[in-house]
Amino acid sequence: MSNARTERDADERAPEVGELTPPDRTLMGPGPSDVHPRVLKAMSTPLVGHLDPSFVEIMDEVQELLRYTFRTDNRWTIPVSGTGSASMEAAIGNLVEPGDTMLVPTNGYFGGRMKSMAERAGGEVVEVSAPWGDPLDPVDVERAFDAHQPDVFGFVHAETSTGVLQPNVPELTDIAHDHDAFVIADCVTSLGGVEMRVDEWDVDVAYSGPQKCLSCPPGASPLTLNDRAMDKVLDREERPRSWYLDLSLLEGYWGDDRSYHHTAPITNVYALREALRLVAEEGIESRWARHRSVAGDLKAGLQNLGLEMNAPDEYWLPSLNAVQVPDGVDDGAVIDGLLDEYDLEIASGLGDLEGDIWRIGCMGYSARPKNVEYVLAALEDALAAQGHEA
Ligand SMILES: Cc1ncc(COP(=O)(O)O)c(C=O)c1O
């Protein structure tokens, strides 16, 4: 056989890849969380077309269930195709027009992402400062409004990078509305796990992701806008920079017309529907209570191990427990040990808190006593291996 022939055969040989056998992990990091078996089952349901009359019905059901979960009557409530950053960019990229000013927080990683998105949308960005690990103080927000008169105010309800829950949401939305601004709330790590009442708390736009407290794989991300916010979007002078996330176009698919815009991720919509059905069966308030109770046991257990939480008790975020790494302990070695020896995922700190904290999620289907006992026992062993006694 000639050399040329041998080389061609080698080129044309298909890669040999074995069957998919990922490890069986327990997911207690900042997301994704463990997916409920019913959601996994829904994902193996055969596809219908994204304009099939039966799918149109499923879309209506998902919208109804999302309204329930967000505690809103907003007509404009949809799953955006993509991860949480897609619903985030849909919110910011549509609400912020070139020349608008957006006020964003500095107290965590995701406020920084809001800033980048607002700038890319052509907005001016101003900041309200708070240290990483603190919530925003309404007094500072009011001051920032008086100084800059922003058109849009964004805040992170559940800051995944610090484990801090933003309290006083109605106070913040009142300040913004007294200044005629719109409020965008990042609820990626709170929706379905931590109290959030979009209508009662007067939030104009809220977005989330499915892979946290909803325990659904990423891919279709909740977004809701009230009529006032949607009117601003529909009255824009300049079209949003993203075609894909232009809500005036997405209205054609998710609104009354149900006409083609893009091919919806059908399997992810099935999954979200099942995840939201689980929320409705449990009852949203019971679900919030379960997260507080199970994560409360996790927090108490961590403190029993001699660990300190990053957030003070008043701002503790049940869905994301940020724990300080004790002096002399190698945070990465603990994370690797838990993964290798226990098939257990927790995460390191992000941004300013890298190396200082571990982030232990307690979300959705992962927020179960069994998971909490497992993480506490495994962590106790991993810490002992590093010479840290509880
Ligand atoms: C608070 C917050 N906002 C936005 C995002 C972005 O979501 P995704 O990673 O699904 O794009 C995340 C992801 O962890 C988050 O925690």
Side-chain angles (χ1 to χ4, degrees), residues 295-346:
D297 289 345
L298 172 62
K299 176 157 77 88
L302 293 167
Q303 288 166 334
N304 276 342
L305 292 178
L307 301 174
E308 272 182 51
M309 303 299 288
N310 187 53
D313 272 356
E314 316 99 271
Y315 316 129
W316 163 66
L317 174 59
S319 49
L320 195 286
N321 293 268
V323 196
Q324 292 173 14
V325 177
D327 285 345
V329 170
D330 178 343
D331 68 314
V334 169
I335 291 171
D336 293 346
L338 294 181
L339 199 64
D340 290 346
E341 286 167 41
Y342 298 87
D343 267 323
L344 172 64
E345 180 180 285
I346 69 164

Side-chain angles (χ1 to χ4, degrees), residues 227-244:
D227 284 347
R228 195 172 82 95
M230 198 57 191
D231 286 349
K232 174 167 166 51
V233 170
L234 296 175
D235 285 350
R236 286 176 64 110
E237 278 174 24
E238 199 178 292
R239 289 185 292 191
R241 295 184 176 175
S242 163
W243 176 89
Y244 192 61

Side-chain angles (χ1 to χ4, degrees), residues 50-342:
H50 60 290
L51 294 171
D52 189 294
S54 66
F55 193 66
V56 169
E57 236 171 77
I58 289 169
M59 291 164 74
D60 287 341
E61 290 164 348
V62 169
Q63 288 184 286
E64 208 40 50
L65 288 162
L66 277 178
R67 288 186 191 104
Y68 170 74
T69 307
F70 271 124
R71 313 308 299 125
T72 183
D73 291 329
N74 287 343
R75 193 164 67 93
W76 258 97
T77 304
I78 64 170
V80 176
S81 301
T83 70
S85 302
S87 61
M88 181 176 188
E89 195 142 33
I92 295 171
N94 281 274
L95 250 281
V96 176
E97 295 180 66
D100 276 355
T101 301
M102 181 166 177
L103 178 65
V104 301
T106 62
N107 60 341
Y109 182 88
F110 290 98
R113 187 170 295 184
M114 279 186 167
K115 177 175 185 224
S116 305
M117 288 184 179
E119 283 168 352
R120 282 166 191 245
E124 299 284 319
V125 173
V126 290
E127 292 178 334
V128 47
S129 300
W132 278 50
D134 281 359
L136 293 181
D137 184 333
V139 173
D140 295 330
V141 173
E142 178 104 53
R143 256 191 228 125
F145 264 96
D146 290 340
H148 306 292
Q149 299 297 329
D151 305 283
V152 179
F153 164 52
F155 74 93
V156 181
H157 183 224
E159 187 36 271
T160 327
S161 62
T162 59
V164 167
L165 177 67
Q166 177 64 49
N168 314 315
V169 173
E171 224 178 304
L172 300 183
T173 57
D174 276 355
I175 296 168
H177 293 141
D178 287 348
H179 290 80
D180 265 344
F182 290 89
V183 177
I184 300 180
D186 181 318
C187 303
V188 171
T189 296
S190 55
L191 187 71
V194 179
E195 183 176 16
M196 165 42 75
R197 300 177 185 273
V198 165
D199 286 0
E200 199 179 315
W201 293 354
D202 232 352
V203 172
D204 299 298
V205 182
Y207 60 82
S208 187
Q211 74 274 24
K212 311 263 184 175
C213 299
L214 299 177
S215 274
C216 181
S221 297
L223 172 70
T224 188
L225 294 89
N226 62 18
D227 284 347
R228 195 172 82 95
M230 198 57 191
D231 286 349
K232 174 167 166 51
V233 170
L234 296 175
D235 285 350
R236 286 176 64 110
E237 278 174 24
E238 199 178 292
R239 289 185 292 191
R241 295 184 176 175
S242 163
W243 176 89
Y244 192 61
L245 298 174
D246 181 342
L247 290 175
S248 70
L249 300 180
L250 280 172
E251 194 207 5
Y253 185 49
W254 284 97
D256 294 335
D257 287 357
R258 300 289 155 113
S259 52
Y260 172 68
H261 174 265
H262 67 279
T263 311
I266 294 144
T267 303
N268 291 86
V269 176
Y270 289 168
L272 186 59
R273 179 181 179 280
E274 194 59 23
L276 294 169
R277 240 160 61 83
L278 285 160
V279 175
E281 279 172 26
E282 183 171 3
I284 187 72
E285 301 210 4
S286 309
R287 198 172 168 100
W288 295 336
R290 169 168 61 89
H291 278 78
R292 280 195 81 79
S293 145
V294 176
D297 289 345
L298 172 62
K299 176 157 77 88
L302 293 167
Q303 288 166 334
N304 276 342
L305 292 178
L307 301 174
E308 272 182 51
M309 303 299 288
N310 187 53
D313 272 356
E314 316 99 271
Y315 316 129
W316 163 66
L317 174 59
S319 49
L320 195 286
N321 293 268
V323 196
Q324 292 173 14
V325 177
D327 285 345
V329 170
D330 178 343
D331 68 314
V334 169
I335 291 171
D336 293 346
L338 294 181
L339 199 64
D340 290 346
E341 286 167 41
Y342 298 87

